Amino acid sequence: LTEVYSSSPALGRYFRSAQVISFSNESSTVIYQLVFSVPASTEGFMENSMNPDFIRNILRQNIYDED
């Protein structure tokens, strides 16, 4: 995750860290925390760039690009 988000053209400059919060071998589930340092007040930044769907799609695109 660190490599994916730190090299992202859209979010790389804001990305600070990724940390695994919880991991389950039974269900193959990982819960992680991403930390970003974002501008104080940029109109629309939080609604667009920090939108959970947008962040998830960056990871999804990286997975597709590897295939």
Tab-separated table of all heavy atoms in Angstrom:
chain	number	residue	atom	x	y	z
A	1	LEU	N	0.814	-1.201	0.000
A	1	LEU	CA	0.000	0.000	0.000
A	1	LEU	C	0.853	1.259	0.000
A	1	LEU	O	0.513	2.234	-0.669
A	1	LEU	CB	-0.922	0.015	1.215
A	1	LEU	CG	-2.064	-0.974	1.214
A	1	LEU	CD1	-2.825	-0.922	2.523
A	1	LEU	CD2	-2.975	-0.758	0.051
A	2	THR	N	1.931	1.206	0.741
A	2	THR	CA	2.807	2.378	0.796
A	2	THR	C	3.317	2.746	-0.591
A	2	THR	O	3.287	3.914	-0.977
A	2	THR	CB	3.986	2.120	1.753
A	2	THR	OG1	3.462	1.873	3.061
A	2	THR	CG2	4.922	3.293	1.811
A	3	GLU	N	3.754	1.757	-1.339
A	3	GLU	CA	4.261	2.025	-2.692
A	3	GLU	C	3.161	2.524	-3.618
A	3	GLU	O	3.365	3.454	-4.407
A	3	GLU	CB	4.889	0.764	-3.278
A	3	GLU	CG	5.549	1.006	-4.607
A	3	GLU	CD	6.240	-0.244	-5.144
A	3	GLU	OE1	6.768	-1.022	-4.333
A	3	GLU	OE2	6.220	-0.411	-6.366
A	4	VAL	N	1.976	1.925	-3.517
A	4	VAL	CA	0.857	2.312	-4.379
A	4	VAL	C	0.492	3.779	-4.169
A	4	VAL	O	0.396	4.557	-5.113
A	4	VAL	CB	-0.384	1.428	-4.123
A	4	VAL	CG1	-1.615	1.982	-4.834
A	4	VAL	CG2	-0.115	-0.002	-4.558
A	5	TYR	N	0.297	4.168	-2.918
A	5	TYR	CA	-0.172	5.530	-2.651
A	5	TYR	C	0.944	6.577	-2.732
A	5	TYR	O	0.697	7.700	-3.144
A	5	TYR	CB	-0.911	5.592	-1.325
A	5	TYR	CG	-2.251	4.911	-1.421
A	5	TYR	CD1	-2.472	3.666	-0.865
A	5	TYR	CD2	-3.281	5.501	-2.137
A	5	TYR	CE1	-3.695	3.032	-0.991
A	5	TYR	CE2	-4.507	4.874	-2.275
A	5	TYR	CZ	-4.711	3.641	-1.699
A	5	TYR	OH	-5.918	3.013	-1.842
A	6	SER	N	2.161	6.218	-2.362
A	6	SER	CA	3.236	7.213	-2.450
A	6	SER	C	3.616	7.498	-3.899
A	6	SER	O	4.107	8.579	-4.220
A	6	SER	CB	4.462	6.758	-1.658
A	6	SER	OG	4.987	5.563	-2.176
A	7	SER	N	3.368	6.546	-4.809
A	7	SER	CA	3.686	6.775	-6.215
A	7	SER	C	2.482	7.254	-7.033
A	7	SER	O	2.603	7.491	-8.230
A	7	SER	CB	4.246	5.495	-6.845
A	7	SER	OG	3.264	4.480	-6.853
A	8	SER	N	1.343	7.429	-6.398
A	8	SER	CA	0.145	7.885	-7.095
A	8	SER	C	0.281	9.347	-7.529
A	8	SER	O	0.573	10.214	-6.699
A	8	SER	CB	-1.069	7.761	-6.163
A	8	SER	OG	-2.162	8.502	-6.668
A	9	PRO	N	0.057	9.627	-8.824
A	9	PRO	CA	0.103	11.024	-9.271
A	9	PRO	C	-0.948	11.894	-8.571
A	9	PRO	O	-0.710	13.071	-8.316
A	9	PRO	CB	-0.188	10.941	-10.772
A	9	PRO	CG	0.180	9.549	-11.155
A	9	PRO	CD	-0.126	8.706	-9.945
A	10	ALA	N	-2.073	11.319	-8.233
A	10	ALA	CA	-3.156	12.092	-7.626
A	10	ALA	C	-2.956	12.316	-6.126
A	10	ALA	O	-3.298	13.373	-5.612
A	10	ALA	CB	-4.498	11.390	-7.856
A	11	LEU	N	-2.405	11.324	-5.424
A	11	LEU	CA	-2.341	11.425	-3.963
A	11	LEU	C	-0.941	11.300	-3.373
A	11	LEU	O	-0.768	11.456	-2.169
A	11	LEU	CB	-3.233	10.339	-3.332
A	11	LEU	CG	-4.723	10.466	-3.617
A	11	LEU	CD1	-5.473	9.291	-3.011
A	11	LEU	CD2	-5.261	11.777	-3.080
A	12	GLY	N	0.067	11.013	-4.182
A	12	GLY	CA	1.413	10.768	-3.677
A	12	GLY	C	1.964	11.865	-2.792
A	12	GLY	O	2.580	11.596	-1.767
A	13	ARG	N	1.744	13.103	-3.151
A	13	ARG	CA	2.311	14.208	-2.351
A	13	ARG	C	1.618	14.368	-0.997
A	13	ARG	O	2.160	15.011	-0.104
A	13	ARG	CB	2.253	15.503	-3.139
A	13	ARG	CG	0.851	15.985	-3.380
A	13	ARG	CD	0.808	17.252	-4.204
A	13	ARG	NE	-0.378	17.178	-5.028
A	13	ARG	CZ	-0.479	17.611	-6.238
A	13	ARG	NH1	0.528	18.194	-6.802
A	13	ARG	NH2	-1.587	17.479	-6.911
A	14	TYR	N	0.429	13.798	-0.839
A	14	TYR	CA	-0.311	13.903	0.417
A	14	TYR	C	-0.161	12.661	1.299
A	14	TYR	O	-0.426	12.716	2.486
A	14	TYR	CB	-1.800	14.107	0.144
A	14	TYR	CG	-2.070	15.254	-0.792
A	14	TYR	CD1	-2.585	15.032	-2.063
A	14	TYR	CD2	-1.791	16.561	-0.413
A	14	TYR	CE1	-2.825	16.079	-2.930
A	14	TYR	CE2	-2.026	17.623	-1.280
A	14	TYR	CZ	-2.536	17.370	-2.533
A	14	TYR	OH	-2.772	18.408	-3.396
A	15	PHE	N	0.275	11.545	0.713
A	15	PHE	CA	0.343	10.292	1.443
A	15	PHE	C	1.471	10.313	2.476
A	15	PHE	O	2.573	10.751	2.189
A	15	PHE	CB	0.566	9.128	0.471
A	15	PHE	CG	0.686	7.808	1.161
A	15	PHE	CD1	-0.433	7.171	1.664
A	15	PHE	CD2	1.922	7.209	1.325
A	15	PHE	CE1	-0.323	5.957	2.323
A	15	PHE	CE2	2.033	5.996	1.967
A	15	PHE	CZ	0.917	5.368	2.475
A	16	ARG	N	1.172	9.808	3.677
A	16	ARG	CA	2.176	9.760	4.743
A	16	ARG	C	2.491	8.334	5.183
A	16	ARG	O	3.630	7.986	5.367
A	16	ARG	CB	1.739	10.598	5.954
A	16	ARG	CG	1.615	12.076	5.648
A	16	ARG	CD	2.974	12.658	5.266
A	16	ARG	NE	2.862	14.008	4.766
A	16	ARG	CZ	3.047	14.386	3.521
A	16	ARG	NH1	3.347	13.527	2.599
A	16	ARG	NH2	2.945	15.637	3.154
A	17	SER	N	1.465	7.493	5.404
A	17	SER	CA	1.743	6.134	5.871
A	17	SER	C	0.530	5.227	5.708
A	17	SER	O	-0.589	5.685	5.514
A	17	SER	CB	2.165	6.150	7.347
A	17	SER	OG	1.092	6.583	8.172
A	18	ALA	N	0.815	3.920	5.799
A	18	ALA	CA	-0.222	2.894	5.794
A	18	ALA	C	0.106	1.928	6.922
A	18	ALA	O	1.266	1.566	7.116
A	18	ALA	CB	-0.261	2.155	4.468
A	19	GLN	N	-0.913	1.530	7.668
A	19	GLN	CA	-0.699	0.661	8.808
A	19	GLN	C	-1.807	-0.380	8.869
A	19	GLN	O	-2.984	-0.050	8.710
A	19	GLN	CB	-0.697	1.505	10.083
A	19	GLN	CG	-0.562	0.724	11.350
A	19	GLN	CD	-0.583	1.628	12.577
A	19	GLN	OE1	-0.477	2.851	12.481
A	19	GLN	NE2	-0.740	1.030	13.728
A	20	VAL	N	-1.432	-1.644	9.102
A	20	VAL	CA	-2.423	-2.699	9.285
A	20	VAL	C	-2.979	-2.571	10.690
A	20	VAL	O	-2.232	-2.556	11.671
A	20	VAL	CB	-1.801	-4.101	9.071
A	20	VAL	CG1	-2.802	-5.184	9.420
A	20	VAL	CG2	-1.324	-4.258	7.644
A	21	ILE	N	-4.296	-2.478	10.791
A	21	ILE	CA	-4.975	-2.356	12.072
A	21	ILE	C	-5.422	-3.723	12.572
A	21	ILE	O	-5.322	-4.038	13.747
A	21	ILE	CB	-6.206	-1.417	11.950
A	21	ILE	CG1	-5.789	-0.050	11.425
A	21	ILE	CG2	-6.956	-1.309	13.253
A	21	ILE	CD1	-4.852	0.711	12.338
A	22	SER	N	-5.905	-4.543	11.653
A	22	SER	CA	-6.427	-5.856	12.008
A	22	SER	C	-6.250	-6.803	10.825
A	22	SER	O	-6.380	-6.399	9.674
A	22	SER	CB	-7.910	-5.732	12.372
A	22	SER	OG	-8.475	-6.992	12.599
A	23	PHE	N	-5.984	-8.075	11.143
A	23	PHE	CA	-5.804	-9.078	10.104
A	23	PHE	C	-6.471	-10.370	10.550
A	23	PHE	O	-6.308	-10.792	11.691
A	23	PHE	CB	-4.312	-9.328	9.849
A	23	PHE	CG	-4.049	-10.331	8.771
A	23	PHE	CD1	-4.121	-9.963	7.444
A	23	PHE	CD2	-3.744	-11.643	9.077
A	23	PHE	CE1	-3.881	-10.882	6.432
A	23	PHE	CE2	-3.499	-12.571	8.087
A	23	PHE	CZ	-3.572	-12.185	6.758
A	24	SER	N	-7.238	-10.989	9.652
A	24	SER	CA	-7.913	-12.237	9.958
A	24	SER	C	-7.525	-13.306	8.945
A	24	SER	O	-7.800	-13.167	7.759
A	24	SER	CB	-9.434	-12.042	9.945
A	24	SER	OG	-10.086	-13.292	10.015
A	25	ASN	N	-6.899	-14.365	9.420
A	25	ASN	CA	-6.562	-15.490	8.540
A	25	ASN	C	-7.807	-16.264	8.141
A	25	ASN	O	-7.858	-16.839	7.067
A	25	ASN	CB	-5.584	-16.442	9.230
A	25	ASN	CG	-4.179	-15.899	9.255
A	25	ASN	OD1	-3.770	-15.189	8.346
A	25	ASN	ND2	-3.451	-16.218	10.301
A	26	GLU	N	-8.807	-16.274	9.002
A	26	GLU	CA	-10.024	-17.041	8.748
A	26	GLU	C	-10.790	-16.523	7.546
A	26	GLU	O	-11.286	-17.287	6.726
A	26	GLU	CB	-10.915	-17.043	9.984
A	26	GLU	CG	-10.298	-17.764	11.164
A	26	GLU	CD	-11.121	-17.620	12.427
A	26	GLU	OE1	-12.281	-17.162	12.349
A	26	GLU	OE2	-10.593	-17.965	13.489
A	27	SER	N	-10.914	-15.216	7.434
A	27	SER	CA	-11.707	-14.632	6.350
A	27	SER	C	-10.852	-13.880	5.326
A	27	SER	O	-11.390	-13.246	4.423
A	27	SER	CB	-12.762	-13.695	6.921
A	27	SER	OG	-12.134	-12.603	7.561
A	28	SER	N	-9.544	-13.932	5.484
A	28	SER	CA	-8.625	-13.201	4.600
A	28	SER	C	-8.990	-11.726	4.525
A	28	SER	O	-9.013	-11.117	3.454
A	28	SER	CB	-8.612	-13.808	3.198
A	28	SER	OG	-8.160	-15.133	3.260
A	29	THR	N	-9.277	-11.154	5.670
A	29	THR	CA	-9.661	-9.752	5.761
A	29	THR	C	-8.561	-8.945	6.440
A	29	THR	O	-8.023	-9.353	7.459
A	29	THR	CB	-10.960	-9.603	6.587
A	29	THR	OG1	-11.989	-10.355	5.957
A	29	THR	CG2	-11.377	-8.146	6.693
A	30	VAL	N	-8.240	-7.796	5.835
A	30	VAL	CA	-7.264	-6.884	6.419
A	30	VAL	C	-7.926	-5.525	6.562
A	30	VAL	O	-8.541	-5.024	5.624
A	30	VAL	CB	-6.011	-6.751	5.527
A	30	VAL	CG1	-5.037	-5.744	6.124
A	30	VAL	CG2	-5.346	-8.096	5.327
A	31	ILE	N	-7.796	-4.954	7.718
A	31	ILE	CA	-8.265	-3.582	7.941
A	31	ILE	C	-7.008	-2.732	8.109
A	31	ILE	O	-6.132	-3.062	8.905
A	31	ILE	CB	-9.161	-3.480	9.188
A	31	ILE	CG1	-10.412	-4.344	8.995
A	31	ILE	CG2	-9.530	-2.026	9.461
A	31	ILE	CD1	-11.283	-4.440	10.228
A	32	TYR	N	-6.911	-1.679	7.325
A	32	TYR	CA	-5.736	-0.845	7.383
A	32	TYR	C	-6.127	0.617	7.494
A	32	TYR	O	-7.242	1.011	7.190
A	32	TYR	CB	-4.824	-1.076	6.171
A	32	TYR	CG	-5.510	-0.884	4.842
A	32	TYR	CD1	-5.537	0.366	4.239
A	32	TYR	CD2	-6.131	-1.944	4.201
A	32	TYR	CE1	-6.170	0.546	3.031
A	32	TYR	CE2	-6.768	-1.765	2.982
A	32	TYR	CZ	-6.779	-0.527	2.402
A	32	TYR	OH	-7.416	-0.346	1.213
A	33	GLN	N	-5.176	1.417	7.950
A	33	GLN	CA	-5.372	2.850	8.091
A	33	GLN	C	-4.389	3.553	7.170
A	33	GLN	O	-3.192	3.280	7.197
A	33	GLN	CB	-5.121	3.276	9.532
A	33	GLN	CG	-5.231	4.764	9.760
A	33	GLN	CD	-4.910	5.136	11.199
A	33	GLN	OE1	-4.141	4.460	11.862
A	33	GLN	NE2	-5.519	6.196	11.665
A	34	LEU	N	-4.910	4.433	6.358
A	34	LEU	CA	-4.080	5.271	5.498
A	34	LEU	C	-4.028	6.664	6.104
A	34	LEU	O	-5.052	7.196	6.533
A	34	LEU	CB	-4.674	5.350	4.088
A	34	LEU	CG	-4.829	4.035	3.335
A	34	LEU	CD1	-5.561	4.274	2.021
A	34	LEU	CD2	-3.482	3.388	3.092
A	35	VAL	N	-2.845	7.260	6.138
A	35	VAL	CA	-2.692	8.601	6.689
A	35	VAL	C	-2.235	9.531	5.572
A	35	VAL	O	-1.252	9.254	4.886
A	35	VAL	CB	-1.670	8.617	7.847
A	35	VAL	CG1	-1.465	10.030	8.364
A	35	VAL	CG2	-2.116	7.682	8.960
A	36	PHE	N	-2.990	10.621	5.406
A	36	PHE	CA	-2.675	11.647	4.419
A	36	PHE	C	-2.538	12.981	5.125
A	36	PHE	O	-3.211	13.237	6.119
A	36	PHE	CB	-3.802	11.763	3.383
A	36	PHE	CG	-3.979	10.533	2.537
A	36	PHE	CD1	-4.847	9.526	2.918
A	36	PHE	CD2	-3.285	10.395	1.345
A	36	PHE	CE1	-5.015	8.386	2.144
A	36	PHE	CE2	-3.451	9.267	0.561
A	36	PHE	CZ	-4.314	8.263	0.956
A	37	SER	N	-1.690	13.829	4.612
A	37	SER	CA	-1.575	15.203	5.082
A	37	SER	C	-2.165	16.073	3.979
A	37	SER	O	-1.606	16.169	2.889
A	37	SER	CB	-0.104	15.562	5.307
A	37	SER	OG	0.019	16.911	5.689
A	38	VAL	N	-3.309	16.669	4.264
A	38	VAL	CA	-4.041	17.378	3.211
A	38	VAL	C	-4.017	18.891	3.430
A	38	VAL	O	-3.827	19.367	4.536
A	38	VAL	CB	-5.506	16.887	3.123
A	38	VAL	CG1	-5.551	15.418	2.772
A	38	VAL	CG2	-6.238	17.130	4.418
A	39	PRO	N	-4.202	19.645	2.350
A	39	PRO	CA	-4.236	21.113	2.457
A	39	PRO	C	-5.336	21.565	3.410
A	39	PRO	O	-6.387	20.927	3.510
A	39	PRO	CB	-4.547	21.579	1.036
A	39	PRO	CG	-4.253	20.421	0.155
A	39	PRO	CD	-4.426	19.191	0.982
A	40	ALA	N	-5.082	22.653	4.083
A	40	ALA	CA	-6.026	23.160	5.079
A	40	ALA	C	-7.397	23.467	4.484
A	40	ALA	O	-8.410	23.031	5.006
A	40	ALA	CB	-5.451	24.399	5.758
A	41	SER	N	-7.432	24.211	3.424
A	41	SER	CA	-8.741	24.552	2.861
A	41	SER	C	-8.651	24.709	1.349
A	41	SER	O	-8.378	25.781	0.838
A	41	SER	CB	-9.274	25.839	3.488
A	41	SER	OG	-8.409	26.911	3.225
A	42	THR	N	-8.849	23.628	0.677
A	42	THR	CA	-8.900	23.663	-0.774
A	42	THR	C	-10.304	23.222	-1.167
A	42	THR	O	-10.712	22.115	-0.839
A	42	THR	CB	-7.846	22.714	-1.398
A	42	THR	OG1	-6.564	23.096	-0.908
A	42	THR	CG2	-7.871	22.777	-2.894
A	43	GLU	N	-11.023	24.087	-1.826
A	43	GLU	CA	-12.414	23.807	-2.172
A	43	GLU	C	-12.546	22.511	-2.965
A	43	GLU	O	-11.888	22.318	-3.982
A	43	GLU	CB	-12.999	24.964	-2.979
A	43	GLU	CG	-14.487	24.801	-3.222
A	43	GLU	CD	-15.070	26.009	-3.925
A	43	GLU	OE1	-14.602	27.130	-3.654
A	43	GLU	OE2	-15.965	25.826	-4.739
A	44	GLY	N	-13.350	21.604	-2.459
A	44	GLY	CA	-13.628	20.361	-3.146
A	44	GLY	C	-12.595	19.266	-2.946
A	44	GLY	O	-12.821	18.133	-3.353
A	45	PHE	N	-11.467	19.577	-2.321
A	45	PHE	CA	-10.409	18.578	-2.174
A	45	PHE	C	-10.876	17.377	-1.361
A	45	PHE	O	-10.703	16.233	-1.774
A	45	PHE	CB	-9.167	19.192	-1.524
A	45	PHE	CG	-8.032	18.218	-1.401
A	45	PHE	CD1	-7.200	17.974	-2.479
A	45	PHE	CD2	-7.805	17.529	-0.215
A	45	PHE	CE1	-6.155	17.061	-2.382
A	45	PHE	CE2	-6.772	16.615	-0.113
A	45	PHE	CZ	-5.946	16.392	-1.196
A	46	MET	N	-11.455	17.624	-0.212
A	46	MET	CA	-11.894	16.524	0.649
A	46	MET	C	-13.023	15.733	0.000
A	46	MET	O	-13.068	14.515	0.101
A	46	MET	CB	-12.333	17.042	2.021
A	46	MET	CG	-11.187	17.591	2.852
A	46	MET	SD	-9.852	16.410	3.134
A	46	MET	CE	-10.638	15.239	4.199
A	47	GLU	N	-13.927	16.401	-0.678
A	47	GLU	CA	-15.056	15.720	-1.306
A	47	GLU	C	-14.628	14.887	-2.507
A	47	GLU	O	-15.218	13.861	-2.800
A	47	GLU	CB	-16.131	16.731	-1.748
A	47	GLU	CG	-16.809	17.454	-0.605
A	47	GLU	CD	-15.985	18.622	-0.078
A	47	GLU	OE1	-15.020	19.057	-0.741
A	47	GLU	OE2	-16.289	19.090	1.035
A	48	ASN	N	-13.587	15.303	-3.196
A	48	ASN	CA	-13.162	14.622	-4.418
A	48	ASN	C	-11.963	13.707	-4.194
A	48	ASN	O	-12.065	12.495	-4.331
A	48	ASN	CB	-12.854	15.637	-5.520
A	48	ASN	CG	-14.086	16.439	-5.889
A	48	ASN	OD1	-15.161	15.902	-6.023
A	48	ASN	ND2	-13.924	17.739	-6.030
A	49	SER	N	-10.826	14.273	-3.851
A	49	SER	CA	-9.601	13.482	-3.735
A	49	SER	C	-9.570	12.590	-2.506
A	49	SER	O	-8.961	11.532	-2.528
A	49	SER	CB	-8.380	14.402	-3.723
A	49	SER	OG	-8.275	15.059	-4.961
A	50	MET	N	-10.211	13.005	-1.443
A	50	MET	CA	-10.205	12.188	-0.230
A	50	MET	C	-11.491	11.361	-0.102
A	50	MET	O	-11.764	10.787	0.931
A	50	MET	CB	-10.035	13.068	1.016
A	50	MET	CG	-8.652	13.672	1.133
A	50	MET	SD	-7.385	12.431	1.469
A	50	MET	CE	-6.479	12.381	-0.051
A	51	ASN	N	-12.231	11.284	-1.172
A	51	ASN	CA	-13.429	10.452	-1.218
A	51	ASN	C	-13.003	8.988	-1.110
A	51	ASN	O	-12.114	8.552	-1.841
A	51	ASN	CB	-14.154	10.717	-2.541
A	51	ASN	CG	-15.381	9.876	-2.711
A	51	ASN	OD1	-15.326	8.661	-2.681
A	51	ASN	ND2	-16.496	10.543	-2.911
A	52	PRO	N	-13.603	8.202	-0.199
A	52	PRO	CA	-13.217	6.786	-0.046
A	52	PRO	C	-13.261	5.997	-1.354
A	52	PRO	O	-12.402	5.138	-1.587
A	52	PRO	CB	-14.229	6.246	0.960
A	52	PRO	CG	-14.625	7.440	1.764
A	52	PRO	CD	-14.614	8.587	0.783
A	53	ASP	N	-14.214	6.283	-2.210
A	53	ASP	CA	-14.291	5.577	-3.495
A	53	ASP	C	-13.089	5.912	-4.375
A	53	ASP	O	-12.533	5.044	-5.040
A	53	ASP	CB	-15.585	5.912	-4.240
A	53	ASP	CG	-16.803	5.295	-3.581
A	53	ASP	OD1	-16.663	4.227	-2.956
A	53	ASP	OD2	-17.885	5.891	-3.690
A	54	PHE	N	-12.687	7.162	-4.393
A	54	PHE	CA	-11.537	7.589	-5.183
A	54	PHE	C	-10.265	6.906	-4.686
A	54	PHE	O	-9.471	6.375	-5.467
A	54	PHE	CB	-11.390	9.115	-5.118
A	54	PHE	CG	-10.244	9.650	-5.928
A	54	PHE	CD1	-10.349	9.757	-7.306
A	54	PHE	CD2	-9.070	10.061	-5.319
A	54	PHE	CE1	-9.291	10.258	-8.061
A	54	PHE	CE2	-8.014	10.557	-6.061
A	54	PHE	CZ	-8.126	10.652	-7.433
A	55	ILE	N	-10.074	6.883	-3.370
A	55	ILE	CA	-8.901	6.252	-2.765
A	55	ILE	C	-8.894	4.753	-3.060
A	55	ILE	O	-7.872	4.179	-3.424
A	55	ILE	CB	-8.855	6.538	-1.255
A	55	ILE	CG1	-8.609	8.044	-1.040
A	55	ILE	CG2	-7.782	5.706	-0.573
A	55	ILE	CD1	-8.761	8.504	0.373
A	56	ARG	N	-10.029	4.111	-2.946
A	56	ARG	CA	-10.164	2.674	-3.240
A	56	ARG	C	-9.869	2.400	-4.716
A	56	ARG	O	-9.224	1.416	-5.060
A	56	ARG	CB	-11.571	2.215	-2.857
A	56	ARG	CG	-11.789	0.755	-2.804
A	56	ARG	CD	-13.140	0.348	-2.231
A	56	ARG	NE	-14.181	1.361	-2.185
A	56	ARG	CZ	-14.568	2.003	-1.061
A	56	ARG	NH1	-14.010	1.744	0.091
A	56	ARG	NH2	-15.529	2.901	-1.109
A	57	ASN	N	-10.315	3.281	-5.592
A	57	ASN	CA	-10.102	3.083	-7.028
A	57	ASN	C	-8.636	3.214	-7.430
A	57	ASN	O	-8.206	2.595	-8.409
A	57	ASN	CB	-10.974	4.033	-7.839
A	57	ASN	CG	-12.422	3.600	-7.834
A	57	ASN	OD1	-12.730	2.422	-7.644
A	57	ASN	ND2	-13.324	4.546	-8.031
A	58	ILE	N	-7.867	3.999	-6.699
A	58	ILE	CA	-6.430	4.072	-6.971
A	58	ILE	C	-5.791	2.714	-6.710
A	58	ILE	O	-4.998	2.220	-7.513
A	58	ILE	CB	-5.763	5.182	-6.137
A	58	ILE	CG1	-6.185	6.548	-6.693
A	58	ILE	CG2	-4.241	5.036	-6.134
A	58	ILE	CD1	-5.693	7.721	-5.917
A	59	LEU	N	-6.165	2.063	-5.621
A	59	LEU	CA	-5.654	0.728	-5.325
A	59	LEU	C	-6.152	-0.277	-6.359
A	59	LEU	O	-5.375	-1.081	-6.875
A	59	LEU	CB	-6.076	0.293	-3.923
A	59	LEU	CG	-5.655	-1.109	-3.500
A	59	LEU	CD1	-4.140	-1.272	-3.569
A	59	LEU	CD2	-6.181	-1.413	-2.105
A	60	ARG	N	-7.413	-0.205	-6.677
A	60	ARG	CA	-7.995	-1.116	-7.670
A	60	ARG	C	-7.298	-0.975	-9.023
A	60	ARG	O	-6.964	-1.965	-9.672
A	60	ARG	CB	-9.492	-0.828	-7.804
A	60	ARG	CG	-10.221	-1.809	-8.698
A	60	ARG	CD	-11.711	-1.553	-8.705
A	60	ARG	NE	-12.254	-1.869	-7.396
A	60	ARG	CZ	-13.137	-1.107	-6.738
A	60	ARG	NH1	-13.587	0.006	-7.270
A	60	ARG	NH2	-13.581	-1.470	-5.566
A	61	GLN	N	-7.030	0.249	-9.462
A	61	GLN	CA	-6.358	0.469	-10.734
A	61	GLN	C	-4.946	-0.107	-10.712
A	61	GLN	O	-4.491	-0.697	-11.691
A	61	GLN	CB	-6.312	1.959	-11.077
A	61	GLN	CG	-5.722	2.244	-12.429
A	61	GLN	CD	-6.534	1.636	-13.556
A	61	GLN	OE1	-7.752	1.781	-13.596
A	61	GLN	NE2	-5.878	0.934	-14.465
A	62	ASN	N	-4.277	0.044	-9.586
A	62	ASN	CA	-2.932	-0.518	-9.468
A	62	ASN	C	-2.959	-2.042	-9.596
A	62	ASN	O	-2.093	-2.635	-10.250
A	62	ASN	CB	-2.312	-0.114	-8.128
A	62	ASN	CG	-0.919	-0.639	-7.975
A	62	ASN	OD1	-0.719	-1.733	-7.442
A	62	ASN	ND2	0.049	0.135	-8.422
A	63	ILE	N	-3.947	-2.688	-9.026
A	63	ILE	CA	-4.083	-4.141	-9.132
A	63	ILE	C	-4.354	-4.537	-10.580
A	63	ILE	O	-3.737	-5.463	-11.104
A	63	ILE	CB	-5.194	-4.652	-8.197
A	63	ILE	CG1	-4.759	-4.476	-6.744
A	63	ILE	CG2	-5.534	-6.109	-8.498
A	63	ILE	CD1	-5.868	-4.668	-5.729
A	64	TYR	N	-5.237	-3.815	-11.260
A	64	TYR	CA	-5.528	-4.098	-12.678
A	64	TYR	C	-4.290	-3.906	-13.548
A	64	TYR	O	-4.047	-4.664	-14.473
A	64	TYR	CB	-6.646	-3.210	-13.197
A	64	TYR	CG	-8.000	-3.485	-12.608
A	64	TYR	CD1	-8.932	-2.478	-12.468
A	64	TYR	CD2	-8.375	-4.747	-12.163
A	64	TYR	CE1	-10.179	-2.711	-11.917
A	64	TYR	CE2	-9.620	-4.999	-11.615
A	64	TYR	CZ	-10.518	-3.968	-11.494
A	64	TYR	OH	-11.743	-4.211	-10.957
A	65	ASP	N	-3.504	-2.866	-13.250
A	65	ASP	CA	-2.310	-2.580	-14.044
A	65	ASP	C	-1.251	-3.680	-13.908
A	65	ASP	O	-0.467	-3.888	-14.824
A	65	ASP	CB	-1.700	-1.238	-13.645
A	65	ASP	CG	-2.522	-0.060	-14.119
A	65	ASP	OD1	-3.452	-0.250	-14.944
A	65	ASP	OD2	-2.257	1.065	-13.638
A	66	GLU	N	-1.233	-4.375	-12.788
A	66	GLU	CA	-0.263	-5.444	-12.570
A	66	GLU	C	-0.622	-6.704	-13.341
A	66	GLU	O	0.229	-7.527	-13.618
A	66	GLU	CB	-0.136	-5.764	-11.095
A	66	GLU	CG	0.611	-4.684	-10.336
A	66	GLU	CD	0.815	-5.041	-8.878
A	66	GLU	OE1	0.432	-6.151	-8.463
A	66	GLU	OE2	1.374	-4.205	-8.166
A	67	ASP	N	-1.895	-6.872	-13.680
A	67	ASP	CA	-2.332	-8.085	-14.399
A	67	ASP	C	-1.986	-8.075	-15.844
A	67	ASP	O	-1.648	-7.376	-16.568
A	67	ASP	CB	-3.847	-8.278	-14.267
A	67	ASP	CG	-4.210	-8.724	-12.870
A	67	ASP	OD1	-3.330	-9.199	-12.144
A	67	ASP	OD2	-5.401	-8.613	-12.513
